Amino acid sequence: MLRYVSLPARSNVSHIRSHKRSFCTSSSAEESIKVQDHGNAKVLTLNRPKVLNAVNLDMIRKLTPHFQDPSSKVIILKGEGKAFCAGGDIRAVWEATKERKFGPGELTHTFFNEEYQLNHLMSQRKAIQVSILNGITMGGGVGLSIHGKYRVATKNTAVAMPETRIGFFPDVGASWAFNQLTGPDNLGLYLALTGNQIKGQDLIMSGIATHLVEESDLNELEKNLVKCSSEFEVTEVLDRFHTMDEDYQSDFKPYAATIEEAFQAYSYQDIPIKLMEMAKRPELSDDIKKWLHQQHFTLSQMSPIALEVTFGAFRFGAISDDLEEALKREFALSQAIIRSVPDFVEGIRAQLIDKDRKPQWSQAGISDHDVFRLFEQEHPWSPLK
């Protein structure tokens, strides 16, 4: 199943590499995006707490102009309630996919097109973006933050890319950005395939977050940030509030070498085999063996096609020149999958609609030919100018 040439090791960077619609001006509780304008700084709040601030097309269209506006020097992006953003609100996309509504002008095209354009716009850093990732941050929420300059986590932050569980792949630029993570080699691929969460100081270790702040200090942090008008000032404030626990017990450090070995593969199908083969080694601790079995079981619950596509997307992402190239590929893949792979509709049904958590995946495996057909489909995408 889908093999690739061996890739060069990525550099151990300390942080992830960077690269007309109407404004939402109201700050009323009814707005999906609340805006507070402090002159040089703006506070944009994702305001759909009942659905954990899941981002929809309306929110994307309200956020985009703020990141295009040259007067926006500092943008603080946060979420209302117990989540930053739990991902994309894809129920409407699911409905349109079931009705086979595809192509320009249809939601299945427009949602992904404009979401990725916003992701790319954030990476251009026309404004100094500070994302406050307090609480749940998944899928599309990762895309809204990871391409910006600063990402502030708390001990309450949980980040994940669980798309393989719904028959999709980690998108919003993750195939590029997660290849830039620090920590164990193959950490990004491991997170992408399993959908496992990463929390606390491990977010700093990986480069997903740049600063860790006590949740009780967030209001004071914001009060200081809105007074800033330069990157120097923003950095000084963030560094002042940044705190690390010397006694913190990493969830990943004990398994770092195991992640590096198990998820270094030429094909996705090699990974489950390696997990089971490594679990038989007598020299490994019972804890490591248990962890290996857990990852094997987790992968067995995911869409087989989504796992193959994710592996391929991340291998191509590792050799992409930049985020724009990765987003072009991801957009083409998104359109190919919703047209050609029934697992997307079935996965969302099982996880989000009926919530029986019992998806009936379309097949136990996928041929090289079928995977390549998905990658070869052409669906043009371009960033905002």
Side-chain angles (χ1 to χ4, degrees), residues 153-219:
T154 70
K155 294 177 182 177
N156 192 40
T157 303
V159 172
M161 297 296 287
E163 284 80 1
T164 55
R165 192 173 294 277
I166 60 167
F168 202 58
F169 68 99
D171 60 336
V172 294
S175 69
W176 185 82
F178 269 39
N179 270 299
Q180 317 304 320
L181 298 186
T182 55
D185 287 342
N186 303 312
L187 175 62
L189 179 61
Y190 157 75
L191 293 172
L193 291 172
T194 64
N196 287 342
Q197 293 185 0
I198 181 168
K199 304 176 182 179
Q201 289 185 193
D202 285 332
L203 293 165
I204 302 295
M205 171 274 293
S206 66
I208 292 175
T210 58
H211 294 81
L212 190 68
V213 174
E214 293 290 340
E215 187 175 8
S216 58
D217 289 336
L218 288 180
N219 287 338

Side-chain angles (χ1 to χ4, degrees), residues 42-113:
K42 291 179 181 177
V43 180
L44 307 180
T45 304
L46 310 179
N47 189 39
R48 300 179 71 213
K50 291 182 179 179
V51 291
L52 302 179
N53 301 318
V55 63
N56 58 21
L57 187 58
D58 171 66
M59 297 168 75
I60 292 167
R61 289 180 169 177
K62 288 175 177 175
L63 286 170
T64 297
H66 293 287
F67 288 90
Q68 292 175 306
D69 181 10
S71 70
S72 299
K73 299 294 189 295
V74 178
I75 293 179
I76 301 161
L77 186 63
K78 65 179 186 177
E80 187 69 36
K82 62 182 180 181
F84 171 69
C85 174
D89 188 350
I90 54 177
R91 180 183 287 264
V93 176
W94 177 76
E95 292 282 2
T97 301
K98 287 201 305 175
E99 295 171 9
R100 308 298 295 171
K101 294 181 177 179
F102 303 127
E106 299 292 350
L107 185 62
T108 51
H109 182 282
T110 306
F111 177 81
F112 293 105
N113 179 54

